C-alpha cells in the first residue's frame, strides 16, 4: 500500500512541474493564438539560469528560492524580448508561420545555451532545507517532492484569482474570446499580449528552475519537455489553465503507475491518453472551439493550369535534372537525390496541408514508416530492393490510414497536435522495440540491389520515383478528388451540403499523402543505406513544415521550391559551427520578410513575365 | 465633431471605399444608409482603426484618427457597436461590461451600472449569466451597454436591427432616442430606411463605396428616386 | 400531394425544450415560410429536417420516405437542396467550378483521381448558371463576388442535383431590399418552372408576405399560427409576440397609409 502511495506522490510531484510549463503555454495560446514551440526553450533557460544563480550565490534556503524566482523573472523578460521583436509582427500570419518562427527561436536559444553553458550536463544543488526524505507509510518520500506537490495547486489558485478577481484577468479572458473587440473597447492589445506572454514564459522558467534539484540541466530539456507540454495543453483544452492542471495530474499519475506494469510506456503514454481524450472530447477536457475572430486568412486564388510556355520551362528543367549526372560531380548527384526526396516529402505534406487544410506537425511519421518498412523488409524478410520499395509506401499508407482515422475527426490546431502525437507514438515504438527496429542503433546495411548500387543508377531510380510521385500528386490536385479536398478546406459545411462524405474524403487524402511521404522515405533509406529513429522525429516533421512554408503554402509549386532551397541551405549551413543559430535566424528572416514564401515571389514573377495563365481558356 | 473626408479603403485586392465623406455633429444622429456591400461596415471599421489599408482623412475634435490604433480611438471618445453581436460568450454580463469600462471623460455623460440597467432592464436580471446564455436581442443590448461603459461621446452603431425580431427593433429605436437625449452623437448604419427615419436627424447614402446623398429625410422623401436608385426600396 | 410531412417534431437541449410537437405539411410546388422571434426554434426545426439534428420525437417524411436518422449528406442525395443564412461556397474556386463540384458529387465522381475536375459537367454547370443569370461571371474567383451574387450562386449549387425540396435559411439576410425582391422573384420563378417545393425562414416580412404561399409562426418552440399572409397579419397573438406594432416594416406601413 505504502509503495503505491509513494508512486502516487511521485506522480503528483511530476505533475506540478508539468503543469507550470503547460499552463504558461496555454495562457499564451489562449490570448495570442500562437502555439509556442519555444516554450520548452524557456523552460530550459529557466533551469540553466537557476543553476547559475543558485550555485553562484550559494546562499542557503533564501539563496535557493531567490535564485529560482529571479530565474523565472529573467525568463519572463526573455519572453518579452521574443514577443516584441518577433511574434508581434506575425500575429496576423497563418498558424504555420507562427509555429515555424517559434521553432526558429528554439534553434537560436539552443545554440546560445550551448555557447553560454557548454555541452556538458550540469548537476544542480539540492534544495537547502528540503534535501532529506520523510517516511510516509514506510516509504521514503523526498521533502522536495512534497514542496512541489504544494506549489502546483498554489500557482493554480494564484492564476485563478488573477483571472477572476482582477480587471487584467477579465481582459485576458475577454481577449481569448475576441481579440479585435477588446481592442475596439479601448484596451491596448499589444500590452495585453506582451503581458500574457511574459507571464507564460515566466511560468515556464519557474517550472525549469524548480527542476534543478531533481534532474541534470541539459541541452535536451527543451524538446524533451515540449511534446509532453503540448499534450497536457491539448488534453486540458487549449487556453484553459484549470484544464492544464487536471491534464498534468492525469498524465503524471497514470504514468507513475503505468511504468510499474510496462516500463517502456512513459514515452508514448501521454500521447495515447491525448488520442483517447481528443476522440471523446475533440476540444480537450475544458476546451472550446476557437473564436472565429482570429487571424483572417486571405482566400486562395483558383488553381490555374500552367500556360504552354511555362510547361515548356518546367519540362526543360526536368530534362536538365535528368541529364545532370552526366555533367555534375558524384557528390552533387547525391545531393540532388536528397533534394528530390525532400521535395516529394514536402509535396506530400503540402497535399495534405495546403490542399486539404489539415496541418500536420507529425508528417515525418509516414516518411519514417516508409523507410523502416522497407529497411525491415530487406533486413528480416530478405526481400530484394524492388519489392521492399513497394512495401514501404504501402506500410506508410497503412499507418496513415490507422492514425488518419482518428486525426480527421478533429480540425485546426487539435488535428495538428494529434498528428504530432501519432508521430511521437511511432517514434517511441521505434526507439524502444529494439528487437525489430534496432532502437537507437537503427537498421544498417539497407543498400540498393547490385545493379543499382552506383550513384548514377540510383539517381535515376530516385528520379523516376520522386518526379513520378510529384507528377502524380499534382495530377490528383487537379482531379475531382483533389478539388474535393480543397472544397472541404474552404467550407466543410458546403461540402457536406453537396453530398460529400467529408471525413471519408479527408481520411483518403490523409492516407494518400502518407503513402507518398512513405515513398520519399523509401528512396531516402536506400540512398543512405541505413535508417535511425530520427526519421520519425519532431525535427524531420518541422523540416517538412519549413520547406512548405519557405515555398509558400498557397502555390502548388511552393513545396518544390521550398524543398530545393531548404536542402541547399541546410547542406551549406550544417558545415558551420553554431549552424542551428544561423538556421534559426534564416527562418526568422524568411518568416518576417517573405510571408508568402519563395514560390509566392516566383509566382508573382511568372505572372509578370506572362508564363502563367490568368484566365482559363 | 467627427469628420470623414475622401476615405478610401481596400481589403487585399478589393477596393471597398472610393472616397467617402461625411460628418457627424454634436448631439446628432446620422444614418448611414446603403445596400449590403456598399461599404457601411467598412466605413465604421475605418473610423475605428480596424482597417489598415486606407487613405483620406478622419478627424475627431480636430485630431486625426488615421494612424491611431483601435484602443486609442476608443479612448478618444468613440464607441463601437459591431454588427453580429460580438459579446464575450464565456464572460458574465457584468464581466462583459467591465471590459468596456473606461474612466469618464470631459464633456461626456457618465454611464453608471444602475443607469444602464434602467435602460436595459433585461440585463439587470441577468447580471451573473454568461454572455452565451442570453437571447439574440439581449446580446444586442449587451453590446450597446458594454460600449456605453466606455463613456463615449460618439457611438458607431453597425446595423443594430439586422436579424432581430421586429419587437426588439422597436426597443432598439427607444434606446437610440435615449442616447440622443443624453447628449451623445450616433452614427447608425442601416438598410432599413423606416427604422433609420424613426431615429435619425440626417441621412447619408453610400453606394459602391461612394457617398451618393447627404441631407435630411424630408428631402429624401421629396425625391423618392434617390432612395429608389441607391437603396432600391 | 405532399412533398414533406412533419409530425410531432420535438427536441430539447439540456432540459430546455427548443421545439415542441411541431407538425406541418408542404405540398408540391408550395412556397412555405417559417417565421418567429429569435430563439423560437426555427433553426432547430430546420436542422432536424435536413438531418443535422436528431429530434427526440417525431417524424419527417420526404415523399413518403422517413428522413430521421439519415445522415445529412444522404438527405441531400434523396433530393433536399439547401442554402445558408451566411453563404457557404468554395472560395478558392471559380463560380463555374463551384457548380461543377456539386454536379461531380451528384454524379458520384468525387473519388476520381484521373480526370481533370474543371473539364467535367461544364455544360450542365453553365446551364445552371444561366438559370440564375450568372453565366457572365462563370470564370471569376468566388472570393471576388458581391454578396447578392454569392446568394444566386448558392441557389444554382442547390439546384444542381435537381432537388424536390429546397430548404432556404434566411435567404435574403444581409441583402439590400431590391436585391431581396429580385432574389425571391428569381427563386419563385425557378420553383414554378421546376416544380420544386421551398421551405424557408425569414425575418424580412416584406419578402414573406410577398412570396410565401403559406406561413407558419413559431414561438417558444411551438407552432402558434398557420395561414396565408393576411391571416397571419391579422392574428393578434402573432402581432403580440412577433410583428409588434408594425412600424418597422414597409408593407404594413404601406397598407396602413
Amino acid at each position: 500500500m505504502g509503495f503505491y502511495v509513494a508512486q502516487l506522490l511521485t506522480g503528483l510531484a511530476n505533475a506540478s512541474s508539468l503543469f507550470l510549463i503547460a499552463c504558461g503555454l496555454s495562457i499564451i495560446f489562449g490570448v495570442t493564438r500562437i502555439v509556442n514551440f519555444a516554450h520548452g526553450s524557456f523552460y530550459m533557460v529557466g533551469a540553466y539560469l537557476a543553476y547559475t544563480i543558485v550555485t553562484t550565490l550559494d546562499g542557503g534556503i533564501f539563496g535557493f528560492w531567490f535564485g529560482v524566482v529571479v530565474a523565472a523573472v529573467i525568463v519572463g523578460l526573455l519572453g518579452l524580448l521574443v514577443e516584441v521583436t518577433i511574434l508581434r509582427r506575425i500575429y496576423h500570419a497563418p498558424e504555420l508561420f507562427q509555429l515555424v518562427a517559434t521553432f526558429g527561436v528554439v534553434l537560436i536559444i539552443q545554440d546560445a545555451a550551448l555557447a553560454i553553458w557548454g555541452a556538458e550536463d550540469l548537476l544542480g544543488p539540492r534544495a537547502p532545507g528540503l534535501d532529506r526524505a520523510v517516511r510516509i507509510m514506510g516509504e521514503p518520500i523526498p521533502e522536495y517532492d512534497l514542496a512541489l506537490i504544494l506549489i502546483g495547486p498554489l500557482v493554480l489558485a494564484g492564476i485563478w484569482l488573477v483571472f477572476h478577481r482582477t480587471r487584467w484577468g477579465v481582459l485576458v479572458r475577454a481577449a481569448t474570446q475576441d481579440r479585435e473587440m477588446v481592442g475596439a473597447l479601448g484596451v491596448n492589445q499589444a500590452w495585453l499580449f506582451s503581458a500574457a506572454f511574459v507571464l507564460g514564459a515566466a511560468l515556464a522558467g519557474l517550472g525549469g528552475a524548480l527542476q534543478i534539484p531533481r534532474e541534470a540541466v541539459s541541452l535536451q530539456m527543451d524538446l524533451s519537455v515540449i511534446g509532453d507540454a503540448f499534450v497536457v495543453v491539448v488534453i486540458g483544452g487549449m487556453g484553459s489553465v484549470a484544464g492544464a492542471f487536471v491534464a498534468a495530474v492525469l498524465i503524471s499519475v497514470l504514468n507513475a503507475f503505468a511504468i510499474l506494469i510496462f516500463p517502456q510506456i512513459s514515452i508514448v503514454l501521454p500521447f495515447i491518453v491525448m488520442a483517447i481524450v481528443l476522440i471523446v472530447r475533440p476540444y480537450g477536457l475544458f476546451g472550446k472551439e476557437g473564436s472565429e475572430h482570429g487571424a483572417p486568412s486571405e482566400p486562395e486564388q483558383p488553381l490555374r493550369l500552367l500556360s504552354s510556355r511555362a510547361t515548356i520551362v518546367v519540362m526543360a528543367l526536368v530534362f536538365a535534372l535528368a541529364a545532370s549526372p552526366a555533367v555534375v560531380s558524384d557528390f552533387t548527384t547525391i545531393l540532388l537525390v536528397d533534394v528530390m526526396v525532400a521535395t516529394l516529402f514536402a509535396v506530400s505534406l503540402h497535399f495534405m496541408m495546403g490542399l486539404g487544410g489539415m496541418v500536420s506537425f507529425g508528417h515525418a511519421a509516414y516518411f519514417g514508416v516508409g523507410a523502416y518498412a522497407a529497411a525491415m523488409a530487406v533486413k528480416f524478410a530478405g526481400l530484394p530492393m524492388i519489392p521492399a520499395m513497394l512495401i514501404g509506401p504501402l506500410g506508410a499508407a497503412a499507418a496513415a490510414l490507422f492514425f488518419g482515422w482518428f486525426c480527421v475527426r478533429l480540425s485546426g490546431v487539435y488535428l495538428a497536435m494529434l498528428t504530432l502525437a501519432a508521430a511521437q507514438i511511432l517514434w517511441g515504438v521505434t526507439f524502444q522495440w529494439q528487437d525489430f527496429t534496432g532502437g537507437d542503433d537503427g537498421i544498417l546495411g539497407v543498400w540498393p540491389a547490385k545493379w543499382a548500387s552506383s550513384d548514377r543508377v540510383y539517381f535515376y531510380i530516385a528520379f523516376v520515383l520522386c518526379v513520378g510521385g510529384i507528377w502524380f500528386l499534382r495530377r490528383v490536385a487537379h482531379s475531382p478528388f483533389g478539388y474535393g479536398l480543397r472544397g472541404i478546406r474552404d467550407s466543410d459545411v458546403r461540402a457536406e451540403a453537396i453530398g460529400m462524405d467529408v471525413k471519408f474524403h479527408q481520411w483518403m487524402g490523409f492516407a494518400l499523402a502518407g503513402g507518398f511521404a512513405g515513398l520519399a522515405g523509401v528512396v531516402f533509406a536506400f540512398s543512405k543505406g541505413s535508417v535511425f529513429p530520427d526519421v520519425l522525429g519532431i525535427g524531420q516533421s518541422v523540416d517538412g513544415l519549413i520547406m512548405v512554408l519557405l515555398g509558400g503554402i498557397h502555390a502548388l509549386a511552393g513545396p518544390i521550391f521550398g524543398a530545393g532551397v531548404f536542402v541547399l541551405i541546410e547542406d551549406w549551413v550544417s558545415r558551420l559551427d553554431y549552424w542551428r543559430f544561423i538556421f534559426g535566424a534564416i527562418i526568422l528572416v524568411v518568416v518576417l520578410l517573405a510571408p508568402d514564401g519563395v514560390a509566392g515571389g516566383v509566382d508573382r514573377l511568372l505572372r509578370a513575365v506572362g508564363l502563367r495563365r490568368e484566365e482559363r481558356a | 465633431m467627427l469628420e470623414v473626408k475622401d476615405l478610401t479603403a481596400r481589403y487585399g485586392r478589393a477596393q471597398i471605399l472610393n472616397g467617402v465623406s461625411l460628418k457627424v455633429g454634436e448631439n446628432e444622429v446620422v444614418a448611414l444608409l446603403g445596400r449590403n456591400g456598399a461599404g457601411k461596415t467598412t466605413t465604421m471599421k475605418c473610423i475605428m482603426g480596424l482597417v489598415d489599408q486606407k487613405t483620406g482623412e478622419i478627424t475627431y475634435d480636430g485630431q486625426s484618427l488615421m494612424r491611431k490604433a483601435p484602443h486609442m480611438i476608443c479612448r478618444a471618445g468613440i464607441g463601437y457597436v459591431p454588427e453580429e453581436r460580438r459579446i464575450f460568450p464565456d464572460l458574465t454580463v457584468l464581466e462583459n461590461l467591465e471590459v468596456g469600462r473606461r474612466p469618464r471623460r470631459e464633456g461626456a455623460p457618465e454611464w453608471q451600472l444602475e443607469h444602464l440597467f434602467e435602460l436595459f432592464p433585461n440585463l439587470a436580471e441577468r447580471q451573473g449569466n454568461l454572455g452565451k446564455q442570453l437571447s439574440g436581442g439581449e446580446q444586442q443590448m449587451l453590446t450597446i451597454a458594454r460600449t456605453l461603459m466606455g463613456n463615449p461621446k460618439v457611438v458607431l452603431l453597425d446595423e443594430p436591427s439586422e436579424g432581430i425580431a421586429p419587437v426588439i427593433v422597436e426597443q432598439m429605436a427607444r434606446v437610440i432616442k435615449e442616447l440622443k437625449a443624453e447628449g451623445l452623437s450616433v452614427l447608425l448604419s442601416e438598410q432599413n430606411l423606416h427604422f433609420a427615419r424613426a431615429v435619425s436627424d440626417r441621412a447619408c447614402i453610400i453606394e459602391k463605396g461612394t457617398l451618393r446623398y447627404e441631407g435630411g429625410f424630408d428631402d429624401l422623401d421629396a425625391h423618392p428616386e434617390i432612395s429608389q436608385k441607391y437603396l432600391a426600396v | 400531394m405532399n412533398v414533406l410531412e412533419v409530425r410531432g417534431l420535438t427536441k430539447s437541449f439540456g432540459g430546455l425544450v427548443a421545439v415542441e410537437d411541431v407538425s406541418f405539411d408542404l405540398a408540391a410546388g408550395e412556397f412555405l415560410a417559417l417565421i418567429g422571434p429569435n430563439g423560437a426554434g426555427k433553426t432547430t426545426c430546420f436542422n432536424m429536417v435536413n438531418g443535422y439534428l436528431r429530434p427526440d420525437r417525431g417524424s419527417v417524411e420526404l415523399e413518403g420516405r422517413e428522413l430521421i436518422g439519415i445522415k445529412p449528406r444522404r438527405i441531400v442525395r434523396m433530393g433536399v437542396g439547401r442554402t445558408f443564412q451566411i453563404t457557404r461556397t468554395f472560395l478558392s474556386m471559380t463560380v463555374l467550378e463551384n457548380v461543377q463540384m456539386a454536379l461531380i458529387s451528384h454524379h458520384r465522381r468525387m473519388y476520381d483521381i484521373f480526370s481533370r475536375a474543371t473539364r467535367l459537367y461544364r455544360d450542365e454547370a453553365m446551364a445552371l448558371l444561366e438559370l440564375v443569370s450568372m453565366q457572365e461571371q462563370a470564370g471569376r474567383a468566388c472570393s471576388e463576388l458581391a454578396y447578392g451574387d454569392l446568394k444566386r450562386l448558392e441557389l444554382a449549387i442547390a439546384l444542381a442535383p435537381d432537388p424536390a425540396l429546397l430548404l432556404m435559411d434566411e435567404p435574403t439576410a444581409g441583402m439590400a431590399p431590391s436585391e431581396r425582391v429580385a432574389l425571391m422573384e428569381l427563386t419563385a420563378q425557378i420553383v414554378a418552372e421546376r416544380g420544386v417545393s421551398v421551405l424557408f425562414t425569414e425575418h424580412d416580412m416584406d419578402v414573406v408576405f410577398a412570396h410565401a404561399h403559406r406561413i407558419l409562426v413559431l414561438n417558444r418552440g411551438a407552432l402558434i399560427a398557420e395561414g396565408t399572409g393576411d391571416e397571419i397579419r391579422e392574428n393578434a397573438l402573432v402581432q403580440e409576440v412577433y410583428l409588434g406594432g408594425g412600424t418597422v416594416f414597409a408593407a404594413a406601413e404601406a397598407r396602413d397609409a
Side-chain angles (χ1 to χ4, degrees), chain B residues 129-175:
Chain B
N129 286 87
L130 296 181
K132 65 185 170 194
Q133 295 167 332
L134 304 186
S135 73
E138 285 168 339
Q139 292 186 353
Q140 183 65 275
M141 298 297 170
L142 179 58
T143 40
I144 297 176
R146 186 179 64 182
T147 299
L148 292 177
M149 283 296 285
N151 300 314
K153 286 161 87 174
V154 182
V155 176
L156 312 179
L157 267 178
D158 199 358
E159 303 218 18
S161 75
E162 173 72 31
I164 279 195
V167 265
I168 310 275
V169 174
E170 287 177 356
Q171 202 179 333
M172 197 67 65
R174 283 195 293 277
V175 168

Side-chain angles (χ1 to χ4, degrees), chain C residues 24-46:
Chain C
F24 61 89
D25 293 330
L26 176 59
E30 194 179 20
F31 220 129
L32 180 63
L34 186 59
I35 65 171
N38 286 86
K42 302 189 297 287
T43 307
T44 309
C45 257
F46 237 67

Side-chain angles (χ1 to χ4, degrees), chain B residues 1 29 86 135 148 180 188 206:
Chain B
M1 129 182 240
V29 180
R86 283 164 62 177
S135 73
L148 292 177
K180 182 174 161 73
L188 165 77
I206 56 174

Side-chain angles (χ1 to χ4, degrees), chain C residues 88-132:
Chain C
R88 310 275 188 166
T89 53
F90 301 141
L91 286 180
S92 74
M93 299 182 200
T94 65
V95 170
L96 184 65
E97 284 165 0
N98 265 279
V99 185
Q100 281 174 299
M101 289 298 285
L103 290 165
I104 286 170
S105 178
H106 177 60
H107 292 284
R108 298 177 179 276
R109 295 278 298 271
M110 226 20 155
Y111 298 107
D112 181 344
I113 54 171
F114 296 107
S115 313
R116 286 215 186 278
T118 52
R119 291 187 188 148
L120 297 175
Y121 310 113
R122 277 185 80 99
D123 297 341
E124 264 185 75
M126 276 311 279
L128 283 162
L129 286 179
E130 267 166 46
L131 201 61
V132 297

Side-chain angles (χ1 to χ4, degrees), chain A residues 299-300 302 475 478-481 483-484 486-487 489-490 493-494 496-501 504-505 616, chain C residues 52 73 76-77 84 88 90-93 97 101 105 109-118 120 154:
Chain A
E300 193 179 291
R475 182 84 214 206
H478 285 281
S479 75
F481 182 78
Y483 266 68
R486 278 171 56 227
R489 177 201 64 193
D490 286 356
V493 178
R494 167 50 69 196
E496 177 140 40
I498 63 171
M500 286 176 65
D501 187 340
F504 187 78
H505 206 104
R616 206 164 327 202
Chain C
Y52 278 89
R73 62 169 188 276
V76 175
R77 294 201 183 281
F84 296 89
R88 310 275 188 166
F90 301 141
L91 286 180
S92 74
M93 299 182 200
E97 284 165 0
M101 289 298 285
S105 178
R109 295 278 298 271
M110 226 20 155
Y111 298 107
D112 181 344
I113 54 171
F114 296 107
S115 313
R116 286 215 186 278
T118 52
L120 297 175
E154 272 211 327

Side-chain angles (χ1 to χ4, degrees), chain A residues 349-598:
Chain A
L349 177 59
H350 178 265
F351 183 83
M352 193 170 139
M353 243 168 72
L355 299 183
M358 298 177 278
V359 176
S360 171
F361 290 177
H363 202 53
Y366 312 106
F367 181 83
V369 169
Y372 265 94
M376 284 155 77
V378 169
K379 208 66 187 167
F380 300 112
L383 286 182
M385 181 180 78
I386 299 286
M389 281 186 155
L390 276 175
I391 285 180
L394 290 179
L401 273 176
F402 178 76
F403 288 110
W405 189 87
F406 299 99
C407 292
V408 299
R409 259 132 259 278
L410 307 176
S411 60
V413 182
Y414 287 92
L415 184 147
M417 294 290 182
L418 195 57
T419 57
L420 177 78
Q424 287 298 99
I425 289 173
L426 284 169
W427 177 82
V429 169
T430 313
F431 197 79
Q432 301 201 333
W433 205 7
Q434 210 115 33
D435 296 343
F436 271 94
T437 61
D440 207 10
D441 302 328
I443 299 177
L444 306 176
V446 191
W447 293 110
K450 221 169 224 151
W451 57 269
S453 59
S454 90
D455 287 339
R456 237 176 243 190
V457 174
Y458 194 72
F459 173 88
Y460 285 107
I461 292 174
F463 178 84
V464 168
L465 292 177
C466 294
V467 176
I470 293 163
W471 172 82
F472 182 78
L473 284 178
R474 285 193 58 105
R475 182 84 214 206
V476 175
H478 285 281
S479 75
F481 182 78
Y483 266 68
L485 272 181
R486 278 171 56 227
I488 293 167
R489 177 201 64 193
D490 286 356
S491 170
D492 54 348
V493 178
R494 167 50 69 196
E496 177 140 40
I498 63 171
M500 286 176 65
D501 187 340
V502 169
K503 294 296 166 208
F504 187 78
H505 206 104
Q506 286 186 315
W507 188 32
M508 291 298 113
F510 195 107
L512 193 65
F516 278 88
L519 181 62
V522 168
V523 178
F524 172 83
F526 281 104
S527 80
K528 301 293 172 204
S530 56
V531 284
F532 296 99
D534 304 1
V535 293
L536 304 115
I538 292 181
Q540 174 74 16
S541 292
V542 173
D543 284 356
L545 290 170
I546 295 173
M547 291 178 222
V548 172
L549 180 104
L550 276 175
I553 194 161
H554 285 322
L556 272 189
I560 299 176
F561 289 107
V565 171
F566 180 87
V567 174
L568 295 178
I569 294 178
E570 193 186 38
D571 180 64
W572 166 63
V573 170
S574 59
R575 295 176 216 162
L576 308 171
D577 287 340
Y578 297 112
W579 66 272
R580 286 190 192 86
F581 191 96
I582 298 170
F583 205 66
I586 292 175
I587 291 173
L588 290 183
V589 167
V590 170
V591 168
L592 295 179
L593 298 183
D596 56 354
V598 180

Side-chain angles (χ1 to χ4, degrees), chain A residues 118-140:
Chain A
E120 292 290 309
D121 288 6
L122 304 175
L123 270 179
R126 295 187 154 210
L130 292 170
D131 47 3
R132 277 166 312 186
V134 290
R135 292 218 164 250
I136 294 180
M137 298 178 81
E139 294 287 328

